[in-house]
Amino acid sequence: MTQALGYDEFGMRFMDLVLHRDRVMESINRVLGEEFQLGPIGAGPGRKVAKATANGTFGKAYGEALTDVVGYEVNLPVDVAFHLDLGVDMLRFNAKVVLPLRLTMELVEPLTILWHISPPDPEDVVMEIAADTRRATVLQKVTGLDGELRRFIVRFVDRELEKPHVRKAMKIDLVTLIDNAWEHIAAQFMPNGPEDRRTPETA
């Protein structure tokens, strides 16, 4: 016997299916790509001590559903090779970074899903820096490189989220999607030829 389902319950199950965690994480990976470049920017006191440049690689995003709203707490791992140009010397640092992102969903007219991504505060960025040399380790502390990198990565995330392809991916127009997919959907249950209209033979 078929059990009736209320509209609210149907909507929640539909959204859970469409916005499944693995599907959302995969979408984040596709939108961000694999590699990025940062800089050069000023680093150190007054941002005049050195120029910093970074090359990074995104890892696979992972996370869990939020408990207070519809959305996910996303963790985005990043490997960064950080170069510090002192004018007379070039130092290299390797950083392992985890960016915490808050991803929440909003439903708007007519039938549209809007994603909102909140970048982290610099102090919430998890980062481990390994310097190539002892001298680089000392300069890392003197120039405040850790804080500079945290702030720069957050600025980078803000900039990336404003790019047109990212803004487009954060808006899902369900009406347009269904209209475009209707022919394929209808083929699953509507008759496609005379053989589909025959009365099944009984034993």
Side-chain angles (χ1 to χ4, degrees):
M1 180 178 179
T2 302
Q3 183 177 357
L5 192 65
Y7 284 107
D8 288 345
E9 180 66 19
F10 180 90
M12 289 300 298
R13 293 190 185 184
F14 177 79
M15 297 308 295
D16 286 342
L17 177 64
V18 173
L19 304 177
H20 186 274
R21 181 187 61 185
D22 293 343
R23 189 171 288 140
V24 171
M25 299 302 153
E26 180 184 357
S27 298
I28 292 174
N29 294 331
R30 291 183 61 183
V31 167
L32 292 178
E34 296 182 356
E35 298 180 349
F36 64 90
Q37 293 184 337
L38 310 176
I41 60 166
R47 296 186 180 177
K48 297 179 180 180
V49 174
K51 291 293 183 180
T53 305
N55 297 298
T57 303
F58 288 114
K60 299 297 183 182
Y62 62 94
E64 297 296 335
L66 296 168
T67 57
D68 53 338
V69 294
V70 179
Y72 295 92
E73 190 72 38
V74 180
N75 292 299
L76 182 63
V78 190
D79 287 335
V80 184
F82 198 63
H83 297 84
L84 193 64
D85 186 355
L86 301 175
V88 295
D89 197 0
M90 177 72 75
L91 303 177
R92 176 186 173 93
F93 304 86
N94 293 316
K96 289 189 175 297
V97 180
V98 177
L99 293 169
L101 306 173
R102 183 179 172 89
L103 184 65
T104 57
M105 185 202 70
E106 179 184 11
L107 299 176
V108 299
E109 293 285 355
L111 281 175
T112 302
I113 299 171
L114 289 182
W115 285 109
H116 300 286
I117 303 180
S118 301
D121 292 326
E123 58 268 22
D124 294 328
V125 175
V126 179
M127 182 176 62
E128 295 182 3
I129 294 183
D132 280 355
T133 65
R134 183 176 180 180
R135 180 166 179 264
T137 300
V138 173
L139 283 173
Q140 173 188 339
K141 297 178 180 179
V142 172
T143 61
L145 187 60
D146 295 34
E148 291 288 351
L149 180 56
R150 283 187 171 90
R151 287 187 287 272
F152 191 43
I153 287 180
V154 170
R155 292 201 303 271
F156 164 74
V157 172
D158 284 334
R159 185 190 68 189
E160 289 297 300
L161 294 181
E162 292 302 319
K163 287 186 175 180
H165 74 279
V166 177
R167 304 300 301 178
K168 179 180 179 181
M170 293 167 64
K171 181 178 182 180
I172 305 174
D173 182 351
L174 295 178
V175 174
T176 300
L177 289 178
I178 293 173
D179 285 345
N180 292 338
W182 182 251
E183 183 177 351
H184 177 73
I185 294 173
Q188 308 303 309
F189 60 88
M190 288 188 175
N192 295 303
E195 64 279 2
D196 293 336
R197 296 182 176 87
R198 294 173 182 169
T199 302
E201 295 181 0
T202 57

